[in-house]
Amino acid sequence: MAELPTTYTAIEHALDQANVVKAMLGLKSVTKKLRNPEPDELLIQMEAASINPSDIAFLQGNYQIKKSLPAVPGFEGSGKIVATGQLLDAKKWLGKRVSCFSQQDKDGCWAEYFYAKPGEVLLTDERLDAAQATTFFVNPFTAWGLCDIALQRESKAIVMNAAGSRVAAFLYELASMHQIEVIGVVRKQSTAELLKALGWKHVLLENSTAFSSQLKTLAHKLRANTAFDAVGGPATGNLLNAMPADSEIVIYGGLSNIFLSDIDPLGMIFENKMITGFNLNDWMAETDSLTFETAQNTLTEIILSGKIKNTVQAAFPLTEIKTALKTYLGNMSAGKVILTF
């Protein structure tokens, strides 16, 4: 292995700012000392790191995961393992390419080097390019976990808002594999047309005056008893109120940055409707190794087949973090923005 440097460059976040522009402008590039990994740590030379909605929420102080500041942001990325702690099998890890995901109270992935525990990395199929390896954790595995909920509930159909997202694309593919019908909810006509061109049969515009009645009719007809909400705010009530009795809304995102609202309490009382949450970290901790391996292999093959990919709209060097964030915030639906090293 090549000799490692003594220092590395990272992006540092020192102060939460509710205003996303101020949060972005507060980021700075710093030089950090490269230390030897702890006995149970891996040292990853980063290849790329992604920008996700959770990263934006973290910078604003709106995310549930908190870090001791100042800290390096970034929950997801990929790279090669260049050093291992003494308790780990160097032959298994050294030189291997991995996808990494961590929400622990430590420096994240927006850096040239990242320290990770074995449970925070996946050995990556070499056939995946850098962009797919970097975005392999959050969206695909969130979709798998959500699909697992629908299967446990024996859902014949599901509803999902933010249906133009990558999570939704993976979830649609997985649901189709299990013959589960999907009702997609979107904000833009152009997104609806795109999804229909991709084969989606049921796509509704949430800003249509007929949306509530259309969703209620379709959800009852298809017996959609599970919905996945990435938005929050009044969108949650719009979904829940239209669903049949014994339905469950699973919240896995808060894109609106607004508290849940417009929920009919009588529907929850007399129709046994529920609202629950999904956290990828919790799902990973509760999932056995065989199930996780099956998920990894299946998701890899879906990506390699070309059916679904994590679309990357742009890549920027780490030093251009502010431009990268501005690009992502300007059009999040266009795909991921990644940082390269």
Side-chain angles (χ1 to χ4, degrees):
M1 302 296 291
E3 184 176 348
L4 298 177
T6 57
T7 62
Y8 65 100
T9 301
I11 298 301
E12 191 171 82
H13 171 62
L15 180 65
D16 294 338
Q17 295 275 6
N19 182 295
V20 68
V21 175
K22 290 183 178 180
M24 179 177 67
L25 294 176
L27 296 173
K28 62 180 181 179
S29 177
V30 298
T31 299
K32 300 179 75 74
K33 182 179 180 180
L34 190 68
R35 60 173 174 81
N36 291 326
E38 297 293 332
D40 60 345
E41 278 185 330
L42 303 164
L43 176 60
I44 302 168
Q45 184 174 9
M46 296 301 292
E47 179 179 48
S50 66
I51 299 174
N52 289 303
S54 54
D55 296 307
I56 306 301
F58 169 73
L59 297 178
Q60 295 176 288
N62 292 332
Y63 200 51
Q64 193 66 27
I65 304 301
K66 305 296 182 182
K67 295 177 183 282
S68 302
L69 301 180
V72 176
F75 295 126
E76 180 185 39
S78 68
K80 287 193 175 182
I81 296 172
V82 293
T84 63
Q86 60 189 22
L87 295 179
L88 302 178
D89 183 357
K91 290 183 179 179
K92 175 182 178 180
W93 295 108
L94 276 181
K96 298 296 177 64
R97 189 187 194 204
V98 295
S99 295
C100 44
F101 171 71
S102 176
Q103 294 189 333
Q104 303 304 313
D105 184 8
K106 64 178 183 179
D107 283 346
C109 297
W110 292 1
E112 292 178 324
Y113 287 86
F114 174 63
Y115 296 89
K117 300 292 180 68
E120 297 171 322
V121 304
L122 286 177
L123 293 173
T124 305
D125 192 305
E126 292 294 334
R127 293 174 294 172
L128 293 177
D129 61 28
Q132 299 307 313
T134 300
T135 55
F136 184 63
F137 238 120
V138 174
N139 289 342
F141 282 93
T142 294
W144 187 281
L146 296 179
C147 187
D148 189 49
I149 292 172
L151 291 172
Q152 291 176 26
R153 290 180 49 77
E154 300 182 349
S155 299
K156 302 298 182 183
I158 60 175
V159 182
M160 66 175 91
N161 58 19
S165 69
R166 289 298 89 190
V167 171
F170 278 100
L171 182 52
Y172 176 84
E173 183 65 28
L174 293 170
S176 299
M177 291 169 60
H178 293 284
Q179 291 78 53
I180 298 173
E181 295 230 52
V182 178
I183 303 170
V185 177
V186 299
R187 291 185 302 165
K188 298 179 181 178
Q189 181 64 40
S190 58
T191 307
E193 292 171 358
L194 175 61
L195 294 181
K196 289 178 180 178
L198 292 173
W200 291 54
K201 290 194 296 183
H202 311 293
V203 184
L204 302 178
L205 285 170
E206 65 180 349
N207 54 5
S208 165
T209 55
F211 170 68
S212 295
S213 60
Q214 289 175 339
L215 178 57
K216 184 174 183 178
T217 299
L218 195 54
H220 282 70
K221 178 183 177 180
L222 299 179
R223 291 183 290 167
N225 68 342
T226 308
F228 300 108
D229 178 14
V231 180
T236 305
N238 290 339
L239 291 182
L240 190 67
N241 299 340
M243 302 285 284
D246 301 312
S247 289
E248 178 178 347
I249 305 291
V250 181
I251 312 293
Y252 72 95
L255 293 174
S256 69
N257 258 341
I258 303 173
F259 287 169
L260 308 186
S261 63
D262 293 10
I263 297 164
D264 176 15
L266 297 182
M268 298 188 72
I269 295 169
F270 294 105
E271 295 184 349
N272 193 36
K273 296 182 180 181
M274 298 183 294
I275 300 175
T276 59
F278 176 85
N279 183 321
L280 182 58
N281 265 343
D282 293 340
W283 178 83
M284 290 168 57
E286 296 164 1
T287 301
D288 63 83
S289 58
L290 180 59
T291 300
F292 202 86
E293 183 179 354
T294 299
Q296 181 179 357
N297 293 338
T298 303
L299 292 167
T300 298
E301 292 305 320
I302 287 174
I303 293 171
L304 291 173
S305 72
K307 293 179 181 178
I308 303 290
K309 283 192 174 183
N310 280 313
T311 304
V312 174
Q313 60 169 301
F316 294 90
L318 184 64
T319 52
E320 295 183 22
I321 179 61
K322 295 174 185 177
T323 302
L325 285 166
K326 183 178 179 180
T327 301
Y328 182 60
L329 289 167
N331 191 0
M332 294 172 68
S333 62
K336 293 292 183 186
V337 171
I338 62 173
L339 304 171
T340 56
F341 304 91

